[in-house]
Amino acid sequence: MNIPLRTVPRQLMSLALLAFASGCGDDAETQSQQPNVYVCGNGQVERGEECDDGNLMDGDRCSSTCKVSKVDVGVTINTCPTIDAFIVSPAQITMGFIATARVEASDEDGNELIYEWTATSGTFTLPDQPETGYECESVGTHSLNIVVDDGHHCDDEVNIPVTCLPPE
């Protein structure tokens, strides 16, 4: 009776190949004529194998083909956004005039970026955009703060000093 090779359980095939590889006897001449046969599942890491844990089961870090199994633990690594450049122009403004504040940021993951401008004093025309206008409310040096967030609890921020001068 001929049994198609694909229906033979892997364990039986491995045993048959192991018996073939070992020469099935003590005849030195027969053993010297045997080709090098490597068997997955024999507990020995051989040519072409990344691992061999002695079995042919998947899901145990060494697959049934003797390759290292990769386990997906369902975790995605998020890279935080980076502020690449920022400017406030002019850096000294007279009260009643508007300075331009601009930030350039990038996110390695391609996440949509969220912008939030705040200041120790003053107002912004578009506080949720990468470019906005800033107007002083009081004389002195103030800090403009830009936070760039990727929407995944990861952000970068910069504080930019601005000097507000009294009206002329």
Side-chain angles (χ1 to χ4, degrees):
M1 168 186 254
N2 289 335
I3 299 174
L5 186 60
R6 68 180 174 272
T7 62
V8 176
R10 286 187 179 177
Q11 288 84 355
L12 290 177
M13 180 59 75
S14 293
L15 290 174
L17 286 173
L18 187 58
F20 174 75
S22 67
C24 295
D26 294 329
D27 185 300
E29 182 180 329
T30 304
Q31 287 182 359
S32 67
Q33 295 173 359
Q34 298 297 329
N36 289 333
V37 176
Y38 304 102
V39 179
C40 177
N42 65 0
Q44 299 175 24
V45 177
E46 301 167 318
R47 188 182 317 182
E49 297 177 343
E50 295 175 3
C51 59
D52 195 325
D53 59 1
N55 65 56
L56 296 173
M57 297 182 339
D58 286 326
D60 61 353
R61 294 190 188 143
C62 186
S63 73
S64 61
T65 58
C66 289
K67 301 293 181 196
V68 175
S69 299
K70 293 177 177 67
V71 177
D72 182 3
V73 294
V75 175
T76 302
I77 303 297
N78 180 42
T79 304
C80 294
T82 303
I83 293 177
D84 303 312
F86 54 89
I87 189 168
V88 174
S89 180
Q92 290 187 1
I93 58 172
T94 303
M95 287 180 57
F97 289 91
I98 295 178
T100 299
R102 184 176 44 152
V103 65
E104 292 179 13
S106 58
D107 185 79
E108 193 176 299
D109 305 320
N111 295 317
E112 185 176 337
L113 298 178
I114 302 163
Y115 301 90
E116 182 183 0
W117 289 94
T118 58
T120 53
S121 176
T123 58
F124 292 95
T125 56
L126 300 168
D128 61 350
Q129 298 298 311
E131 185 170 323
T132 186
Y134 169 74
E135 184 175 0
C136 294
E137 288 181 346
S138 63
V139 175
T141 301
H142 302 287
S143 181
L144 307 188
N145 180 264
I146 177 62
V147 175
V148 180
D149 190 295
D150 66 359
H152 297 280
H153 309 290
C154 201
D155 60 44
D156 193 9
E157 71 178 285
V158 172
N159 289 300
I160 310 162
V162 174
T163 303
C164 296
L165 304 172
E168 298 177 355

